[in-house]
DNA sequence: TCTGAAACGTTCAAACTCGAACAATGGTTG
DNA sequence: CAACCATTGTTCGAGTTTGAACGTTTCAGA
């Protein structure tokens, strides 16, 4: 049966076709793959991956290079690339990061673009409206772009101005993992986003079903996802009649990097005071850090503290492996490209689409089993 | 639903169809199946399963791989020609009405089904959960239905039970112009719906731009659209800083048919008392009746009372022709079919999609021009 | 330019899967 | 009632996939 499509090593063998699909996903996400890295990741021999690369190169889908493969390159003169089709559209993508979360969005976008004879031009940016605008402008100035997929910083007046500017561009603009606020006149903008509130709710219900009756939330409000996660957590604990005023909900945004240890100690102390036995932690990197901190303090995960992460980027790497809410990043990219190309093909008669996608919950060791008694020594104060 | 683990004696040809349905179910759930595993599970020979896989591959429903089958893969070059086989899927549609609003939804669904070699089977129902369920069950009992598009009545416990039942069906179910409530565990249901709140807001902003400063709302809460329209009206007047408590907002649901004239007289009196010079009226039929009533009472439309209808089904027939918010009904049907067929093709790996489409505002005579002075004779009390 | 490490390609074997050919069975039809 | 058809199962030779082993090629650093 098909394993989870995470970077996590494959637990079961894949059919060869599925392995090549995974190879293509990694390639689209990162621009290149290594034979050695992929063999380790997929649990097969380097020879097998090398054979796959050869098959894909023969099909014109990759450029074979020493040690691995890259996305098809115009510099690659092998005969197979003569299959390279003319591109109907050029779609620009400006994403906040090229190494966390967004590579899979890009991978999905590239896969869909391939299906639709479009090409994707990616620029990395940041969580800053001015930088976002600079990158979009640079794309528009230097390439013949037919449509845009962006994940703009929408905070403050600079963010609002950016949205109005994007709305006024003469080409289709799709927001990925962003929703245009109702009170900003940006009615042409279409978007596709994960329903993070639903994802948070799913995590809380899972922890409830594992027996936890006090479930907290640890987020980082510098991330645009954060407010949705908190909203979902709130709605879910309300539905379960867990009093919010007795629940731990902390924001790490203003904690200086050097004070994270103290911050986590305060969080653990609040957990002890309130009897909280489970935490939803956004994002994965913070979940990994939090779990490591618990282990350092002798707090057993999941015995004394169950943890669910968010994003499912690195949760599987922790010890114990951390459960996580997994947004459908590949599909976000795919659907964004579908929105661009449909808009280009159909024009104004097509109604503006706004699409929410539901995430999955990936259950691992960090949240299995019911909580031990609250008096358990593992939740004692730090010394 | 967990079917029996061993085949029962049955008509052999019927059994082979059921076996292929089981195969497709496993495939959609897990992404791939092995010939060996499925033969063991279904108690037949591997050759039988292999023959089934070949049949399904020829129909374009699976990709055949060494040892089993996967969902159709873009890397599989052998299956693509077969995707054009006629009537790949049968899609059932159960709609509340066959003569208002829904015919265009069905039309859009049929157009998309034609593009995708699917066939649509329609049953009319009503705004009643028990009737909705009877019609769905009748469809399922008498036809081999692969997916469903429904617009169920979701009010009360009967409506909630219907949603849970729909959620548990083993085939894809799409809600058209309905959104499953967040507090009902119906997480598999996908939907496509018009953003009626946005539509109402668009109408209010149009009337504001035409110079109206007091804008009311007349709805009919027996319609599921109504609550969204009221919410949009509220948000829009809040954004325009029109005090809601000084605004006319009336519900016609409980007005007996014989008392409509008196009801409209009361509404006009409230308008006079509050200086309301424009009304958003849901639905079109009520807008036509309201405009006719205004004319009967000597209230000039749009001079003394501007009116915008909703649904754009019959608004154009009135004299004067009535502006209306037009939901993208054809696209609702189209997108619903796209959701069904994508679910059938991609199975469980595809995230649940929830899609909002923006309506258009069609401006006609009934809302053009600024309001005349409040003292205008045309808004005098009825005699 | 040389060298060692890494990567690649070829060969062969093991394990597993496929499918043609043929047979058996039960239902349908003339 | 016999002939025909659809469906399913068995057998066995052919085919596919993967990895080990080993010789060859490539690349980066000294």
């Amino acid at each position: 049966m098909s394993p989870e499509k995470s970077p996590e090593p494959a637990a079961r063998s894949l059919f060869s076709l599925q392995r090549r699909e995974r190879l293509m996903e990694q390639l689209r996400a990162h621009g290149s793959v290594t034979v050695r890295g992929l063999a380790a990741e997929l649990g097969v021999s380097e020879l097998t991956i090398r054979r796959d690369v050869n098959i894909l190169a023969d099909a014109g889908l990759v450029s074979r290079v020493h040690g691995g493969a890259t996305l098809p390159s115009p510099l690659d003169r092998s005969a197979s690339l003569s299959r390279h089709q003319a591109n109907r559209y050029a779609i620009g993508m400006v994403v906040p990061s090229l190494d966390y979360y967004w590579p899979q969005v890009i991978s999905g976008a590239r896969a869909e673009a391939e299906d639709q004879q479009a090409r994707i031009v990616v620029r990395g940016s940041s969580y800053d409206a001015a930088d976002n605008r600079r990158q979009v402008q640079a794309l528009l100035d230097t390439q013949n772009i037919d449509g845009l997929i962006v994940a703009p910083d929408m905070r403050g007046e600079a963010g609002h101005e950016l949205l109005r500017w994007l709305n006024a561009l003469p080409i289709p603009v799709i927001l990925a993992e962003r929703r245009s606020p109702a009170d900003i006149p940006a009615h042409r903008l279409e978007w596709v986003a994960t329903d993070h509130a639903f994802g948070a709710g799913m995590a809380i219900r899972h922890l409830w079903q594992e027996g936890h009756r006090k479930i907290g939330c640890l987020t980082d409000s510098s991330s645009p996802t954060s407010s949705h996660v908190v909203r979902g957590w709130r709605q879910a604990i309300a539905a379960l009649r867990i009093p919010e005023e007795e629940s731990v909900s902390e924001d790490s945004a203003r904690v200086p990097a050097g004070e994270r240890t103290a911050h986590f100690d305060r969080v653990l102390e609040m957990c002890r005071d309130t009897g909280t036995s489970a935490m939803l932690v956004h994002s994965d990197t913070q979940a990994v850090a939090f779990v490591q901190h618990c282990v350092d303090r002798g707090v057993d995960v999941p015995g004394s503290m169950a943890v669910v992460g968010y994003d499912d980027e690195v949760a599987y790497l922790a010890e114990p492996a951390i459960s996580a809410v997994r947004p459908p990043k590949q599909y976000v990219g795919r659907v964004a490209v579908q929105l661009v190309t449909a808009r280009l093909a159909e024009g104004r008669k097509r109604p503006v689409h706004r699409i929410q996608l539901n995430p999955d919950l990936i259950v691992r060791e960090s949240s299995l089993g019911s909580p031990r008694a609250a008096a358990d020594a593992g939740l004692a104060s730090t010394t």
Side-chain angles (χ1 to χ4, degrees), chain A:
Chain A
M1 306 303 195
S2 178
E4 299 155 354
K5 286 213 175 223
S6 69
E8 190 170 14
R12 308 278 186 88
S13 62
L14 294 163
F15 287 130
S16 56
L17 190 64
Q18 291 174 306
R19 193 178 57 237
R20 289 193 280 278
E21 286 176 338
R22 291 285 299 271
L23 193 161
M24 288 305 301
E25 281 171 12
Q26 287 294 332
L27 189 60
R28 290 175 183 130
H30 302 290
S32 64
V33 295
T34 68
V35 166
R36 171 171 287 199
L38 217 46
E41 180 181 323
L42 299 181
V44 294
S45 75
E46 292 178 22
L47 180 54
T48 297
I49 298 298
R50 200 164 295 125
R51 286 185 177 120
D52 285 342
V53 167
N54 286 342
I55 290 165
L56 295 168
D58 290 346
L61 298 174
V62 309
S63 290
R64 182 178 6 209
V65 297
H66 193 79
T70 67
L71 284 170
S73 165
L75 299 178
D76 186 347
R77 305 297 178 84
S78 46
S80 59
L81 288 188
S82 65
R83 292 183 65 256
H84 203 51
Q85 287 147 315
N87 286 313
R88 290 193 295 152
Y89 305 122
I91 301 176
M93 279 187 85
V94 177
V95 299
S97 165
L98 291 175
D99 43 36
Y100 184 92
Y101 195 98
W102 294 93
Q104 288 188 57
V105 177
I106 294 166
S107 172
R110 281 187 167 133
E112 184 65 30
E114 218 173 283
D115 288 348
Q116 303 211 32
Q117 287 89 52
R119 78 182 174 92
I120 302 288
V121 188
V122 176
R123 289 190 82 100
S125 185
S126 64
Y127 295 92
D128 172 60
D131 186 39
N132 297 159
R133 180 161 177 165
R134 266 196 304 280
Q135 300 299 342
V136 169
Q137 192 66 63
L139 251 188
L140 296 175
D141 288 346
T142 57
Q143 307 256 359
N144 215 16
I145 294 294
D146 298 300
L148 272 176
I149 297 171
V150 292
D153 179 38
M154 304 186 304
R155 294 173 296 178
E157 184 47 34
H160 294 180
E161 179 52 32
L162 175 57
L163 284 178
R164 290 192 284 268
W165 178 72
L166 288 168
N167 189 67
L169 289 176
I171 58 175
V173 176
I174 310 300
L175 305 182
E177 289 293 13
R178 301 288 184 264
R179 311 138 193 256
S180 45
D183 58 332
I184 296 180
H187 304 310
R188 286 180 59 242
L189 297 181
E190 307 187 90
W191 48 258
V192 49
T194 300
D195 188 351
H196 295 302
F198 172 78
M202 205 170 28
I204 304 306
R205 286 188 288 276
H206 159 67
L207 291 166
W208 181 270
Q209 282 180 331
E210 291 297 299
H212 298 279
R213 291 295 174 267
K214 286 295 181 65
I215 306 169
C217 186
L218 177 60
T219 53
D220 178 347
S221 64
S222 60
S223 160
T225 301
S226 201
S227 59
H228 301 289
V229 171
V230 174
R231 182 163 51 82
W233 169 79
R234 271 200 181 103
Q235 286 166 351
I237 65 171
L240 294 167
R241 302 181 200 278
I242 303 175
E244 182 180 336
E245 61 277 13
E246 295 170 23
S247 300
V248 177
S249 176
E250 289 299 304
D251 178 7
S252 307
R254 287 194 199 84
V255 176
E259 292 182 26
R260 192 145 74 166
T261 298
H263 175 56
F264 285 160
D265 280 335
R266 281 194 293 276
V267 170
L268 283 179
E269 188 169 345
M270 290 175 187
C271 288
R272 186 172 53 91
D273 290 347
T274 56
T276 296
S277 59
M279 296 290 288
L280 171 63
V281 181
H282 173 269
S283 61
D284 258 21
T285 47
Q286 180 161 235
V288 170
F290 184 70
V291 164
Q292 282 171 338
H293 184 83
C294 289
V295 170
D296 289 347
R297 290 289 184 260
V299 175
D300 183 55
V301 173
S304 301
M305 177 61 63
V307 176
V308 178
Y310 207 99
D311 290 336
D312 198 41
E313 285 282 310
V314 291
Y316 70 98
L317 289 171
E319 184 56 46
I322 302 176
S323 302
V325 179
R326 172 189 288 170
K329 300 160 219 168
Q330 298 251 350
Y331 271 90
V332 170
R334 263 191 181 278
V335 172
V337 169
Q338 285 164 3
L339 289 174
V340 173
T341 56
R343 178 62 54 201
L344 288 166
E346 295 177 48
R348 219 191 156 288
K349 74 173 185 172
R350 178 181 168 86
V352 164
H353 281 54
R354 280 135 182 213
I355 300 178
Q356 284 195 113
L357 306 179
N358 280 9
D360 275 326
L361 176 66
I362 311 304
V363 177
R364 298 186 181 99
E365 193 185 333
S366 72
S367 65
L368 284 172
S370 60
R372 297 175 192 160
D376 203 294
L379 205 51
S381 288
T382 58
T383 56

